[in-house]
Amino acid sequence: MSASTSRGTAGALGPEQGPGAELLAALLDGMDAALCAFDADGTVTHWNREAERVLGWSAEEAVGRPGLAGWAVRRADADEVQGRLMAVMEAAGRQVHEFALLRKDGGRVLVRTQSAGVRGADGRPAGVYCAFSEVHAQIDLERAIALSEALFDDACWGVVLVDVDLRPTVVNAHAARALGGGRTSLLGRPLGELIAQGVEELEGALQHVLAEGAPDEAAELWVTLRGEGSRRRCWRSGFLRLASPLTEEPVPLGAGWVFQDVTAAKLAAQEADRLRFRSNQLHRAARSAAECEDPMEAATSSLDFALAGFADHALIDLLVGERLVRAAATPADAPGPCLPVAGGGIPLRYASGHPALRAVDRTGSVRASAGTGRTDGEWARQRQWPADAVHALCTVLRSRGRTLGVVTFLRSAHRAAFERPDAMYAESVAARVAASVDLHRAVGGAGPPGV
């Protein structure tokens, strides 16, 4: 961009010669806004390259002209425009106007101007400077600023800007609430101080954005915040790479992270999928059991369908008098079907308080877990279960108002502990198993003594 002060009175706008003039020209040429200036008589003294871009008139063509009439403004409008511009010379502060100016090619462009008076060394009015831009460009800028302020005020999405070191630099109110801090207290802190689990995925996504650009689709990130235990959140996240608009080559300023908490919707969808799958398994189990001639085979078949996606092991312990006897089980050392136990009939030596005994006493379901870090197998061996079991769910077998035994589902360490919805599903399975066991006893089927 270039500027000229070749003619007219520069006054307080800058010296005519020397390093000061070169510095002024460089400053004017570096401005993004179009700028022109007038002396006290209304003669054009300065005209930068952005003004040339907007209107097409070069500095050589503009500087020295007595006002804008006939070339930058229609003669019919010249007196009003010039009068409003020069009136600011006697006023305090800046004034904003909108004018229709003429391009060099004859076209018209609506501009928004900000003008202010300039005073000389003696304090007397020396001229006017006027910065202007096309109205649509100004409106675009104002919209961008308004959008930015709205996003960082109280938008329904969380918005976080991070620098190239992945540290938050701006956090809106929604994001601050989601991350459990204040808008200022979160600034500059590593994301790992805020997020306990899932931070690697988040930082990996941000690093990808900085290196390769924004992905085409939103991502769903599961995270656990520090101080919230094991509670997991699902944040649907979008990412943007931020680059400075003030340089010819894009300079990365960081990345924008926009997210919304969709945990409730995701959990609801997962629960619906789980219920749909389990309902389908119960249906398949019923059809399979209907084809079994031996009722005990029907009972074990029902457990095989129930195990899919639910547990790693299943056991059937039936009451013989006052004691429980192992009737069927899945393999202890590898996946496999639930089969009758060879040589059964020996009562199980369950210690007092064993979950299976408690299920019989309660006539319901009992959940138990080894506890955090208990993976040595001792907890399971003490209860006569496979060594890899760390979570158990014992459900009583009831048919025709009588307790027949207990079915036990076991999970290893790679699965979560059983929850109440799991117990409800297990009770549905147990009802089918109990019906088959009752029929087995009623017809005097083969099995362990007393079964």
Side-chain angles (χ1 to χ4, degrees):
M1 296 184 181
S2 64
S4 172
T5 56
S6 58
R7 294 197 296 268
T9 303
L13 294 175
E16 290 287 341
Q17 304 294 334
E22 296 177 359
L23 175 60
L24 177 60
L27 290 174
L28 295 179
D29 284 352
M31 294 179 63
D32 289 326
L35 184 137
C36 63
F38 307 89
D39 63 15
D41 297 325
T43 301
V44 178
T45 60
H46 295 79
W47 189 269
N48 72 352
R49 220 175 255 180
E50 182 65 12
E52 178 180 348
R53 186 196 67 78
V54 173
L55 298 180
W57 301 96
S58 67
E60 289 75 13
E61 295 172 306
V63 173
R65 287 181 180 262
L68 304 176
W71 62 285
V73 177
R74 291 194 313 167
R75 292 194 179 278
D77 301 328
D79 291 342
E80 179 189 0
V81 171
Q82 195 75 10
R84 292 167 70 182
L85 286 176
M86 299 307 295
V88 76
M89 188 167 55
E90 302 289 344
R94 293 180 298 174
Q95 294 186 7
V96 177
H97 301 286
E98 289 187 0
F99 300 125
L101 300 183
L102 290 177
R103 299 183 188 274
K104 186 177 182 180
D105 59 10
R108 301 180 71 190
V109 57
L110 185 63
V111 301
R112 180 172 296 175
T113 67
Q114 293 189 48
S115 54
V118 178
R119 297 188 176 276
D122 57 1
R124 300 177 62 184
V128 172
Y129 78 84
C130 173
F132 62 93
S133 60
E134 297 177 75
V135 166
H136 72 82
Q138 181 70 20
I139 292 176
D140 289 345
L141 175 61
E142 292 177 2
R143 284 173 178 161
I145 294 173
L147 174 61
S148 176
E149 291 181 348
L151 287 174
F152 289 115
D153 186 14
D154 198 17
C156 62
W157 285 70
V159 181
V160 179
L161 303 188
V162 299
D163 59 20
V164 293
D165 295 322
L166 305 186
R167 295 175 183 255
T169 57
V170 182
V171 179
N172 78 341
H174 186 103
R177 290 192 296 269
L179 292 168
R183 294 186 62 179
T184 57
S185 64
L186 298 176
L187 304 184
R189 296 173 60 185
L191 293 173
E193 291 185 4
L194 310 173
I195 301 173
Q197 296 181 358
V199 66
E200 296 84 1
E201 292 80 359
L202 174 58
E203 290 183 339
L206 291 169
Q207 289 168 350
H208 175 81
V209 170
L210 289 172
E212 305 293 337
D216 295 332
E217 298 180 355
E220 292 181 348
L221 303 177
W222 284 92
V223 301
T224 300
L225 298 181
R226 295 199 179 278
E228 289 195 348
S230 60
R231 179 188 177 190
R232 300 177 71 220
R233 301 166 181 253
C234 182
W235 287 340
R236 181 171 292 146
S237 303
F239 301 93
L240 301 167
R241 181 164 60 177
L242 307 179
S244 173
L246 303 180
T247 58
E248 294 183 4
E249 293 295 330
V251 175
L253 297 178
W257 171 34
V258 182
F259 67 92
Q260 188 176 45
D261 193 322
V262 294
T263 307
K266 291 296 293 184
L267 292 178
Q270 289 178 358
E271 183 62 21
D273 291 341
R274 184 182 298 114
L275 291 175
R276 191 180 302 111
F277 175 76
R278 290 178 176 178
S279 176
N280 186 53
Q281 289 298 98
L282 290 175
H283 174 73
R284 295 177 62 197
R287 295 190 61 180
S288 176
E291 300 299 322
C292 297
E293 293 185 9
D294 180 4
M296 200 62 191
E297 182 184 354
T300 57
S301 176
S302 295
L303 284 184
D304 289 336
F305 281 99
L307 281 175
F310 182 69
D312 299 298
H313 304 286
L315 315 171
I316 298 178
D317 298 334
L318 299 182
L319 274 175
V320 179
E322 299 291 328
R323 308 293 293 274
L324 287 171
V325 174
R326 181 69 46 81
T330 55
D333 55 354
C338 185
L339 298 173
V341 174
I346 301 176
L348 295 162
R349 301 178 62 184
Y350 284 159
S352 177
H354 190 285
L357 298 178
R358 289 161 54 199
V360 172
D361 291 340
R362 294 182 182 182
T363 317
S365 299
V366 173
R367 289 174 281 157
S369 291
T372 305
R374 293 287 301 275
T375 58
D376 57 0
E378 185 60 28
W379 179 83
R381 282 190 290 268
Q382 289 176 357
R383 290 156 181 80
Q384 301 181 47
W385 292 331
D388 63 341
V390 296
H391 306 297
L393 172 58
C394 297
T395 302
V396 70
L397 296 173
R398 297 275 296 176
S399 178
R400 294 189 294 168
R402 295 178 296 121
T403 297
L404 307 181
V406 178
V407 61
T408 299
F409 296 98
L410 301 171
R411 289 177 175 175
S412 54
H414 74 278
R415 294 182 185 269
F418 289 101
E419 298 179 350
R420 180 57 192 159
D422 298 321
M424 296 174 63
Y425 175 63
E427 289 165 2
S428 298
V429 175
R432 297 165 184 263
V433 172
S436 296
V437 170
D438 195 15
L439 179 60
H440 172 76
R441 286 183 166 179
V443 300
V451 177

